[in-house]
């Protein structure tokens, strides 16, 4: 039991002094630890960027779908105005004095 207390005391002392890594001889593989840290950091960073891109793509897809619906509505509305008689009726309803010209323009200034 005394051995365990002494070991725990040594470990606690090493942690408090910041010597635990040196006592475990981790300095030999420190470069590998840094490399592993960099790899994990890069994986997390790439994962976050991929998630952001996917969110942006999804919002753009929804916006594109809304714009397609809007475009279809405007195309349908424009097709209904295609006839000259429809346009003349709309002008008459709005009280406009604009109508078809009797003769073509001679000169534009």
């Amino acid at each position: 039991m005394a051995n365990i207390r002494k070991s725990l005391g040594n470990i606690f002392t090493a942690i408090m002094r910041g010597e635990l890594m040196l006592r475990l001889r981790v300095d030999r593989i420190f470069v590998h630890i840094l490399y592993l840290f960099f790899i994990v950091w890069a994986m997390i960073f790439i994962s976050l960027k991929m998630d952001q891109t996917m969110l942006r793509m999804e919002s753009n897809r929804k916006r594109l779908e809304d714009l397609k619906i809007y475009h279809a509505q405007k195309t349908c509305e424009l097709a209904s105005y295609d006839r000259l008689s429809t346009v003349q009726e709309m002008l008459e309803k709005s009280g406009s004095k604009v109508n078809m010209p009797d003769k073509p323009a001679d000169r534009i200034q």
Side-chain angles (χ1 to χ4, degrees):
M1 191 72 172
N3 238 358
I4 295 174
R5 282 189 184 181
K6 186 176 180 182
S7 295
L8 289 175
N10 283 338
I11 291 172
F12 181 74
T13 307
I15 289 173
M16 295 306 286
R17 290 183 183 174
E19 299 174 350
L20 181 65
M21 300 295 253
L22 292 175
R23 285 188 185 180
L24 294 175
R25 298 295 296 162
V26 176
D27 56 340
R28 292 179 290 166
I29 57 170
F30 185 69
V31 175
H32 299 291
I33 292 172
L34 283 178
Y35 178 70
L36 180 66
F37 173 77
F38 175 75
I39 294 295
V40 170
W41 180 83
M43 287 175 54
I44 292 171
F45 180 76
I46 290 171
S47 175
L48 287 174
K49 287 299 180 182
M50 285 173 50
D51 286 343
Q52 287 176 353
T53 302
M54 295 300 284
L55 284 173
R56 198 173 337 123
M57 283 176 55
E58 190 62 33
S59 66
N60 286 342
R61 186 175 293 127
K62 288 178 184 176
R63 186 170 179 216
L64 184 61
E65 193 65 34
D66 290 341
L67 289 175
K68 283 181 182 178
I69 292 170
Y70 179 76
H71 181 262
Q73 289 172 344
K74 289 300 177 182
T75 303
C76 182
E77 188 178 328
L78 184 62
S80 69
Y81 295 148
D82 193 26
R83 296 192 179 123
L84 187 58
S85 60
T86 309
V87 175
Q88 286 178 345
E89 288 174 10
M90 289 175 58
L91 288 172
E92 289 173 4
K93 284 182 184 177
S94 65
S96 176
K97 296 179 181 178
V98 177
N99 52 6
M100 291 296 295
D102 297 331
K103 60 179 184 169
D106 293 334
R107 186 173 75 172
I108 298 176
Q109 293 181 346

